[in-house]
């Protein structure tokens, strides 16, 4: 069993390498979509954290 493992050759990645060239219009579209998604989600996350912090402050004041 050990000798079979020692003779095994390393196999390259199963998926082929992805080309690095992307159409500039597609690249711009992807970036704009990420911004459209990231800004509202990030803002809602910030508001949620602020509300968590604000509710813990109001409990301390009582």
């Amino acid at each position: 069993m050990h000798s079979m493992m020692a003779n095994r050759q390393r196999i390259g990645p199963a998926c082929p390498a992805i080309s690095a060239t992307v159409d500039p219009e597609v690249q711009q579209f992807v970036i704009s979509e990420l911004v459209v998604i990231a800004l509202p989600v990030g803002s809602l996350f910030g508001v949620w954290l602020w509300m968590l912090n604000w509710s813990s402050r109001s409990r301390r004041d009582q």
Side-chain angles (χ1 to χ4, degrees):
M1 180 79 174
H2 180 65
S3 62
M4 290 174 64
M5 297 286 270
N7 292 335
R8 197 179 265 180
Q9 293 179 355
R10 186 178 175 109
I11 300 173
C15 60
I18 298 173
S19 175
T21 58
V22 178
D23 186 21
E25 291 181 14
V26 172
Q27 185 178 9
Q28 187 65 35
F29 176 75
V30 169
I31 291 171
S32 65
E33 289 300 308
L34 287 174
V35 168
V36 164
I37 293 168
L39 283 177
V41 170
S43 298
L44 287 173
F45 185 68
V47 168
W48 178 66
L49 288 177
W50 176 77
M51 290 175 68
L52 286 176
N53 193 22
W54 182 70
S55 65
S56 67
R57 275 192 204 154
S58 65
R59 274 188 262 135
R60 269 188 269 151
D61 292 343
Q62 290 180 350

